[in-house]
Amino acid sequence: MVKFSKELEAQLIPEWKEAFVNYWQLKKQIKRIKISKVPNKSHTVEGDFGHSIFDSIHLLVNKFSHNFSGSRDDNFNIIKVRKKTRKGSDEEIYETELAQLFSEEDEVRVFFVRLDEELNKVNQFYKNQEGEFIERGETLNKQLQILHDLKLIISDRRRKSSPPSKPSNAEVFSRSPARNSDYSGYGDSDETNSEVSQTDEVIMTRLERNGINLVNSGRRTKTKKGKPKMGIRMDVPVASNPNGAITAITTMLWEDLVNNPNAELIQKRKIQCAEKIIRSAFVELYRGLGLLRTYSTLNMVAFSKILKKFDKVSCEKASTNYLKEVKRSHFISSDKVVRLMDEVESIFTKHFANNDRKKAMKFLRPQQNKDSHMTTFLVGLSTGCFVSLFCVYAFLAHLCGIFSPSKEEAYMETIYPVFSVFVLLSLHLFMYGCNLFMWKRTRINYNFIFEFSPSTALKHRDAFLICTTLMTTVVGAMVIHLLLRAAGFAPTQIDAIPGILLLCFIVLLICPFDIFYRPTRYCFIRVIRNIVCSPLYKVLLVDFFMADQLTSQIPLLRHLETTGCHIFAELFKTHHPETCHSGRVYMEITYIISFLPYFWRALQCLRRWYDDNDVNHLANMGKYVSAMVAAGARITYSRIDNPLWFAIVLTTSIVAATYQLYWDFVKDWGFLNPNSINLWLRDDLVLKNKSIYYMSMGLNVVLRVTWVETVIHFKVGPVQSRLLEFLLASLEVIRRGHWNFYRLENEHLNNVGRYRAVKTVPLPFHDDSD
């Protein structure tokens, strides 16, 4: 049977862990009480020859008389729990008074003082969260009413302003989905009547009360065509939708679009977008209410368990009175959360699921996919196939003499780059699978941090399956390539195999069918799009996290450049294959590819500074600019080997590496805090063994300075040079996977410090006074 402490650890909300009852501390205090009850045997008198049989009889008689000397009520009234109001505030607190002196009075008193503190902490946290959720629910009801009224106005004006057979222009409802700034949208509607209908007046008055300003609602104005005009103005927040920047630019054209026949379509899309945002907000509210309900249940069970342990140790029935007070406390007796959950279910079913409760529950309570044993089996099977095929490849390569001096150059220039792409990608997926495993093991809520859907997010077994399947396919293609080469086929005929493999991978990535993790594939494509268009898109955590991964995959991008160059040279005869490794165009593209990941990341920092007005983002941008300078200097030094460029490379690389290490340890990982209770770390640590953190810091330093190899210029052959390049690229991928764990650990602890367990969805309508 699983111990309750482990069960509580597995079920509690990680971001609210500090707000839960400290079951482990109370359990330790009970152990101290138990130790204090053990008689001290050090006072035995010299010459004592043991205990008499009458001592045992005497103890039994005392225990029997103690159990039956008083009434049952006396046992129940050992403690008295009083509810008081804290001075200077309306906060209610519980204080326990001991009505009977125990032999171990000090330890018992400490236990009940701590128990009172835990009860007060749980009660206060529950009240605060309950108040926030109730306020959020009222706001969402208000937003839903505004949306409903807008739909009524639009449908009413469409009906009045146009004949049944030909719909005319309706007023435009404009809304920007971006998050940190407000702007106003305007809509016009041509009126055939001279006055606004009474229904519209009532609805507009209600809209004004709900925060939408109606322009010229009380008087008639005219458009350029001499027709009456009614304008609706609303202040709308900026959402995290990536299309926000483009939409914000086009909002300046709304007034020109009013008389456009396509304005109705624009208006419809805007309302649908607002409705989607409100629906997401209701889903998050329901999720938060469910978490609060779980919080209440787990704490109640923890209090009952700890009080039973106390009764067992103290041999007194003291838990009954205290448990009654716990059940009367606010976090148990309040039914506001349950009633609000029922209300949200009812509203969601009516407005967003067409009165289909089953459909509504799929949104409100999404089912998480359970770990399948079939996935584990497939991982093992594909791993076995990969190992077998790799052994076959090594044997065939030795027989064919593929790495002999006469053949190695052609093979390494044409085949090596594309296969290196897949190997590095597979290694990155393997490291990501290790990250997922460790995050799950340490209770880091990575799905919430990345804003992934729990029902479609990858698990560590899925990442390992993708990795092993990809590697098995790649090694299988390499074996086929060697077999055809040994069979006498011309290199021009079989060198297309790597290109075909790359093409199949791209087709699978964009495949629209719901196979092979389509939600994950499309999420990846969407994030890459956000990175490429960094200035135009709101930067989320998953966006800059993925951009950081790209900065560690610059060798992969350069191999893609070489592969694409060879494919175009062989298929379209646009240039000679030798130009793929030398020449002015090759060097220019090499510079661009080496700069692009850092450039995208710098643009993201600039956009975050613009949105958040935080100078730290500009400092972070400086880190990527220094990395770009160092990368450019190293590429130039590989072509121009002289003392001047050696000094430039050494200086820029040392500055960039120092900058990066400082940011890794201080900003990304939260280490090097001189005032921390953990020497040069941070106060809160997920891993119990602190030595792991110190070793990780040392490993990160070593892997950050692998650029030294480019300065030393080892004199090795072409094959050894390629293998050394691949080794260094692999070490950088391993460093990035190692960095990922501590980066997300720090982000998780920041959420824990703010008790942030539910995403706050920006709402489509804002009051001018907000």
Side-chain angles (χ1 to χ4, degrees):
M1 184 177 180
V2 180
K3 290 184 177 181
F4 176 74
S5 57
K6 293 185 179 179
E7 186 179 348
L8 178 62
E9 181 72 24
Q11 294 185 14
L12 58 77
I13 297 104
E15 291 78 10
W16 293 352
K17 183 176 181 180
E18 296 299 322
F20 275 81
V21 57
N22 196 334
Y23 180 84
W24 299 270
Q25 185 188 40
L26 295 174
K27 193 175 177 182
K28 288 180 181 178
Q29 186 61 31
I30 290 178
K31 287 183 179 179
R32 293 192 187 101
I33 296 174
K34 185 176 181 180
I35 293 173
S36 67
K37 290 177 66 66
V38 178
N40 191 356
K41 298 182 180 180
S42 61
H43 64 279
T44 55
V45 182
E46 187 177 353
D48 187 5
F49 296 101
H51 294 286
S52 170
I53 189 172
F54 296 104
D55 293 335
S56 301
I57 298 174
H58 180 67
L59 289 173
L60 289 173
V61 170
N62 286 340
K63 186 175 180 181
F64 181 82
S65 61
H66 175 73
N67 288 335
F68 293 96
S69 59
S71 64
R72 184 180 180 89
D73 292 336
D74 292 336
N75 282 329
F76 288 167
N77 293 325
I78 291 173
I79 62 171
K80 293 180 181 180
V81 185
R82 301 184 184 278
K83 185 187 292 186
K84 298 181 180 180
T85 303
R86 192 186 297 272
K87 294 181 180 179
S89 65
D90 297 333
E91 181 183 349
E92 293 182 346
I93 60 174
Y94 291 89
E95 287 186 0
T96 302
E97 296 179 359
L98 296 179
Q100 175 179 328
L101 295 178
F102 292 85
S103 58
E104 63 282 359
E105 177 184 357
D106 292 339
E107 295 295 340
V108 173
R109 191 177 300 277
V110 171
F111 170 76
F112 279 104
V113 167
R114 290 182 177 177
L115 193 64
D116 291 339
E117 290 175 353
E118 296 300 319
L119 179 58
N120 294 328
K121 178 185 72 175
V122 171
N123 237 356
Q124 189 59 37
F125 179 81
Y126 186 89
K127 286 181 181 179
N128 293 339
Q129 293 295 322
E130 183 185 63
E132 291 179 8
F133 286 133
I134 290 175
E135 182 181 356
R136 185 72 171 175
E138 293 173 353
T139 304
L140 287 179
N141 282 333
K142 187 176 178 181
Q143 296 274 320
L144 192 61
Q145 185 62 47
I146 293 173
L147 184 66
H148 178 68
D149 291 343
L150 282 173
K151 287 182 177 180
L152 287 179
I153 286 181
I154 291 171
S155 61
D156 185 63
R157 288 175 181 270
R158 185 185 295 116
R159 177 175 53 84
K160 291 181 179 180
S161 61
S162 61
S165 59
K166 183 181 179 182
S168 67
N169 300 333
E171 57 192 1
V172 177
F173 165 56
S174 67
R175 188 196 65 81
S176 169
R179 183 180 298 164
N180 292 323
S181 62
D182 295 338
Y183 70 90
S184 299
Y186 297 87
D188 296 336
S189 178
D190 295 337
E191 301 274 333
T192 56
N193 301 324
S194 60
E195 295 181 356
V196 183
S197 67
Q198 185 177 0
T199 304
D200 285 353
E201 289 286 353
V202 173
I203 296 176
M204 289 178 182
T205 302
R206 189 161 58 199
L207 284 173
E208 287 180 338
R209 288 199 306 266
N210 285 333
I212 292 184
N213 301 322
L214 300 183
V215 182
N216 300 323
S217 59
R219 63 183 186 276
R220 292 171 57 191
T221 57
K222 295 183 178 181
T223 62
K224 294 180 180 180
K225 296 182 179 181
K227 296 181 180 181
K229 180 173 85 170
M230 179 68 64
I232 295 180
R233 173 175 178 165
M234 60 204 77
D235 291 319
V236 197
V238 181
S240 59
N241 193 316
N243 297 318
I246 300 174
T247 307
I249 296 173
T250 58
T251 50
M252 295 183 294
L253 306 176
W254 283 141
E255 288 184 329
D256 295 333
L257 290 173
V258 167
N259 296 318
N260 191 329
N262 295 327
E264 183 178 351
L265 177 61
I266 298 172
Q267 160 200 338
K268 183 178 180 180
R269 291 182 62 185
K270 292 297 174 181
I271 288 182
Q272 289 176 347
C273 197
E275 186 174 4
K276 185 177 180 180
I277 289 176
I278 295 175
R279 183 186 68 187
S280 300
F282 270 108
V283 172
E284 288 299 318
L285 173 62
Y286 189 85
R287 178 175 172 271
L289 293 171
L291 292 178
L292 194 58
R293 194 174 178 181
T294 302
Y295 173 84
S296 172
T297 304
L298 288 177
N299 278 296
M300 181 63 212
V301 176
F303 276 115
S304 62
K305 292 283 186 180
I306 205 69
L307 286 169
K308 287 180 180 178
K309 286 182 179 294
F310 174 78
D311 284 352
K312 185 176 180 181
V313 170
S314 65
C315 300
E316 300 289 349
K317 297 181 179 178
S319 66
T320 305
N321 280 350
Y322 203 97
L323 209 54
K324 285 181 181 179
E325 292 300 326
V326 172
K327 291 179 180 178
R328 292 195 196 106
S329 61
H330 185 81
F331 82 96
I332 295 297
S333 60
S334 177
D335 63 342
K336 293 180 181 179
V337 170
V338 176
R339 286 192 282 109
L340 186 55
M341 289 183 72
D342 294 338
E343 183 181 351
V344 171
E345 289 179 4
S346 176
I347 291 174
F348 198 92
T349 303
K350 178 181 178 181
H351 293 279
F352 302 106
N354 296 324
N355 292 319
D356 187 349
R357 180 175 174 79
K358 186 176 180 181
K359 180 180 177 181
M361 288 299 105
K362 287 183 179 180
F363 284 96
L364 296 176
R365 298 178 186 174
Q367 297 293 327
Q368 295 189 14
N369 295 328
K370 296 182 179 180
D371 294 336
S372 174
H373 294 294
M374 179 58 68
T375 305
T376 307
F377 170 75
L378 292 176
V379 170
L381 179 63
S382 56
T383 303
C385 294
F386 162 68
V387 173
S388 302
L389 287 172
F390 185 79
C391 294
V392 172
Y393 171 76
F395 179 71
L396 289 176
H398 177 72
L399 289 180
C400 297
I402 203 65
F403 295 117
S404 61
S406 60
K407 298 180 181 180
E408 64 181 16
E409 185 174 356
Y411 185 83
M412 296 300 288
E413 287 183 356
T414 57
I415 307 304
Y416 163 78
V418 66
F419 286 143
S420 295
V421 168
F422 289 106
V423 174
L424 290 175
L425 182 60
S426 299
L427 179 61
H428 214 134
L429 281 170
F430 175 77
M431 294 304 299
Y432 181 63
C434 294
N435 289 149
L436 294 178
F437 174 76
M438 287 302 300
W439 290 333
K440 181 180 178 182
R441 187 84 177 264
T442 54
R443 300 277 292 161
I444 293 176
N445 195 353
Y446 60 91
N447 283 332
F448 173 71
I449 295 174
F450 288 138
E451 299 185 13
F452 289 160
S453 172
S455 59
T456 57
L458 279 185
K459 297 180 176 60
H460 64 277
R461 289 185 178 88
D462 299 319
F464 290 147
L465 178 61
I466 297 173
C467 167
T468 53
T469 302
L470 184 60
M471 279 305 302
T472 302
T473 305
V474 170
V475 176
M478 294 170 70
V479 170
I480 293 174
H481 181 271
L482 283 182
L483 289 175
L484 294 177
R485 194 184 185 104
F489 286 87
T492 56
Q493 294 176 323
I494 60 175
D495 286 351
I497 291 179
I500 294 173
L501 184 64
L502 183 63
L503 181 63
C504 292
F505 175 77
I506 295 174
V507 170
L508 179 62
L509 183 65
I510 63 176
C511 177
F513 301 110
D514 193 7
I515 57 173
F516 206 72
Y517 306 104
R518 184 180 67 175
T520 301
R521 291 188 283 110
Y522 277 28
C523 178
F524 174 77
I525 295 173
R526 184 171 60 253
V527 171
I528 294 297
R529 178 202 63 182
N530 296 353
I531 294 172
V532 174
C533 305
S534 294
L536 301 178
Y537 288 80
K538 180 73 176 179
V539 181
L540 304 178
L541 190 144
V542 66
D543 297 331
F544 66 75
F545 189 85
M546 179 61 73
D548 280 327
Q549 311 305 306
L550 291 180
T551 59
S552 296
Q553 286 288 14
I554 292 177
L556 183 148
L557 298 177
R558 293 179 63 176
H559 290 323
L560 278 178
E561 168 209 355
T562 306
T563 301
C565 181
H566 274 284
I567 290 175
F568 276 93
E570 295 292 340
L571 296 181
F572 302 103
K573 309 296 181 182
T574 55
H575 52 274
H576 197 275
E578 291 182 358
T579 59
C580 295
H581 303 278
S582 60
R584 183 178 61 85
V585 177
Y586 167 76
M587 291 307 301
E588 290 177 353
I589 295 177
T590 300
Y591 277 110
I592 293 173
I593 289 178
S594 299
F595 289 164
L596 266 180
Y598 299 117
F599 179 69
W600 288 331
R601 191 67 185 87
L603 287 180
Q604 286 182 334
C605 294
L606 193 63
R607 174 59 190 265
R608 294 187 72 194
W609 169 77
Y610 175 78
D611 291 337
D612 302 338
N613 197 23
D614 187 354
V615 183
N616 284 324
H617 296 315
L618 292 180
N620 195 15
M621 183 181 71
K623 179 186 70 172
Y624 296 103
V625 172
S626 67
M628 290 171 61
V629 174
R634 286 196 288 268
I635 295 173
T636 306
Y637 179 66
S638 65
R639 297 170 51 236
I640 307 174
D641 189 356
N642 58 40
L644 175 62
W645 276 106
F646 175 79
I648 294 174
V649 168
L650 195 62
T651 303
T652 56
S653 297
I654 289 176
V655 171
T658 305
Y659 205 156
Q660 290 166 348
L661 287 171
Y662 168 79
W663 206 270
D664 284 346
F665 295 147
V666 178
K667 300 295 184 179
D668 290 335
W669 293 2
F671 293 162
L672 299 183
N673 182 4
N675 300 321
S676 173
I677 58 176
N678 302 306
L679 183 62
W680 295 111
L681 298 177
R682 58 173 118 82
D683 291 340
D684 298 321
L685 300 174
V686 171
L687 302 178
K688 296 180 180 180
N689 191 349
K690 289 189 287 187
S691 61
I692 296 177
Y693 292 98
Y694 295 115
M695 289 188 292
S696 297
M697 293 171 69
L699 179 63
N700 191 62
V701 171
V702 172
L703 295 180
R704 273 289 191 188
V705 296
T706 53
W707 52 265
V708 173
E709 182 273 335
T710 61
V711 179
I712 296 177
H713 282 176
F714 292 109
K715 294 182 179 180
V716 293
V719 176
Q720 291 79 6
S721 176
R722 292 283 189 172
L723 291 177
L724 183 60
E725 177 188 349
F726 176 76
L727 175 63
L728 294 177
S730 301
L731 289 176
E732 173 58 22
V733 172
I734 293 171
R735 188 203 67 81
R736 180 59 63 181
H738 168 257
W739 176 91
N740 289 344
F741 174 80
Y742 298 103
R743 176 64 182 89
L744 223 65
E745 178 196 10
N746 191 36
E747 187 70 25
H748 169 75
L749 292 175
N750 290 335
N751 288 338
V752 170
R754 297 192 298 267
Y755 299 110
R756 184 173 177 265
V758 181
K759 182 175 66 174
T760 302
V761 179
L763 301 176
F765 309 114
H766 272 183
D767 194 347
D768 288 339
S769 61
D770 290 344

